[in-house]
Amino acid sequence: MTTNPRPLALVTGASSGIGAQLARELARDGHDLILCARRVERMQALADEFKAMGAACTIIAADLGKSGAAAGLVREIEAKVLVVDVLINAAGLGGQGRFHKSDPQRIGEMLQLNVVTLTELTRLVLPGMVRRGRGHVMLLSSTAAFQPGPNMAVYCASKAYVLSFGQAIAYEVRNTGVSVTTLCPGATATEFAEVASVANSALFKGSMIPVMSASEVARIGYRGLKARRSVVITGLLNRIMAISSRLSPTALTLRIASWMMSAAR
Ligand SMILES: NC(=O)c1ccc[n+]([C@@H]2O[C@H](COP(=O)([O-])OP(=O)(O)OC[C@H]3O[C@@H](n4cnc5c(N)ncnc54)[C@H](OP(=O)(O)O)[C@@H]3O)[C@@H](O)[C@H]2O)c1
């Protein structure tokens, strides 16, 4: 057991975007960190920055898109005799295109990363938090969770899973001292759009709703985590969009989502 009085946060997807900004929020707020992603140099640069804020950082390079990755990560953490007080599941991946033309290997990696590893890692870390009667878990979903998404079908379905899963376990642990917050950002300026090939889409051009910065999303998300909120949708327009998606006829939301997620021609 660590005797360090500073709480320790494990952040997946810490090398870039929203995960990196959430790690920065945590470091600023007095946490030590375990940073996990594949790109070590990126995490090393963040660790150097966070050390100057007084945060001790452990870097664990892992491909979380592979089967068994969550168990491997937790084994490494336990071998270092570290105890996780805050878990941020930010690692995620999108992909644009018609489902029947998508690369099956990429679909498998997306589901493994966005759904399976997130679930397994939460399952491995949550019991210790419940036993100790304290802790926070954050799951990165998306406003994509609120409607089916033609042209990003698997990604939107994976985020709908995360939202459903997050809300359910938040309810299960509501009286244990542990909180579970599902963060649902709208389009955010990170490497996500480039990786998912949606940088030219109406969604990421901000045609309907302005694209937010990762630092703003992290600030809102971290505030929600500290307030122990179950679901946080970033920004008023995204909240309106998410709620109206739920209330509108499916035929209409399918058309709008399909347009928003198509690459511009
Ligand atoms: N940007 C948006 O518009 C948006 C909106 C709503 C929700 N989200 C969600 O927010 C989360 C963070 O995304 P982001 O926007 O910050 O995108 P990003 O800048 O591309 O960051 C993705 C992070 O996930 C990590 N990652 C990807 N594949 C991985 C793998 N196989 N193993 C380990 N780590 C992996 C990346 O690190 P390495 O490449 O170094 O491994 C990176 O740190 C995702 O879950 C995404 O679905 C994003």
Side-chain angles (χ1 to χ4, degrees):
M1 283 281 271
T2 177
T3 51
N4 191 346
R6 291 169 64 92
L8 176 66
L10 165 60
V11 181
T12 72
S15 65
S16 162
I18 299 168
Q21 291 295 343
L22 281 164
R24 191 168 277 123
E25 291 287 332
L26 286 153
R28 272 195 203 117
D29 200 30
H31 292 74
D32 289 341
L33 286 148
I34 302 171
L35 306 175
C36 179
R38 293 167 302 183
R39 288 171 294 177
V40 173
E41 325 75 59
R42 297 282 203 94
M43 294 190 284
Q44 191 54 59
L46 289 172
D48 293 343
E49 178 194 328
F50 299 161
K51 270 177 203 154
M53 301 177 189
C57 292
T58 304
I59 293 171
I60 301 183
D63 185 345
L64 302 176
K66 293 234 161 32
S67 169
L73 173 56
V74 169
R75 267 198 306 277
E76 267 201 62
I77 292 169
E78 286 174 353
K80 293 178 194 300
V81 202
L82 294 171
V83 174
V84 174
D85 300 295
V86 180
L87 167 63
I88 308 282
N89 281 294
L93 171 71
Q96 194 265 357
R98 295 291 157 102
F99 172 69
H100 68 277
K101 294 181 182 168
S102 336
D103 175 7
Q105 199 178 325
R106 169 98 170 181
I107 292 171
E109 188 193 346
M110 198 189 304
L111 289 173
Q112 182 69 42
L113 183 65
N114 296 7
V115 174
V116 179
T117 298
L118 171 142
T119 307
E120 291 179 348
L121 188 55
T122 305
R123 174 63 184 83
L124 290 166
V125 172
L126 192 56
M129 291 183 179
V130 171
R131 216 169 29 248
R132 293 188 294 277
R134 64 190 153 80
H136 299 281
V137 175
M138 175 173 275
L139 310 174
L140 255 295
S141 177
S142 166
T143 50
F146 292 89
Q147 68 284 302
N151 299 314
M152 281 189 99
V154 175
Y155 177 72
C156 293
S158 76
K159 292 300 171 179
Y161 169 90
V162 174
L163 177 59
S164 169
F165 169 66
Q167 286 184 284
I169 62 170
Y171 184 83
E172 285 180 7
V173 300
R174 69 194 181 286
N175 296 323
T176 64
V178 180
S179 70
V180 179
T181 300
T182 305
L183 178 60
C184 302
T188 308
T190 66
E191 294 171 13
F192 174 89
E194 212 53 60
V195 173
S197 309
V198 285
N200 281 329
S201 63
L203 182 63
F204 278 92
K205 287 186 153 182
S207 306
M208 273 181 84
I209 296 176
V211 176
M212 269 191 181
S213 69
S215 56
E216 194 176 0
V217 167
R219 207 165 40 245
I220 295 168
Y222 188 57
R223 206 168 51 218
L225 175 144
K226 287 187 78 170
R228 315 178 76 83
R229 288 183 48 201
S230 166
V231 177
V232 176
I233 305 171
T234 56
L236 179 64
L237 288 175
N238 284 320
R239 284 202 293 282
I240 292 170
M241 190 72 175
I243 292 162
S244 46
S245 293
R246 286 266 163 100
L247 299 176
S248 305
T250 308
L252 178 65
T253 57
L254 283 168
R255 280 182 81 139
I256 295 172
S258 173
W259 168 70
M260 298 260 292
M261 292 172 203
S262 299
R265 300 191 207 294

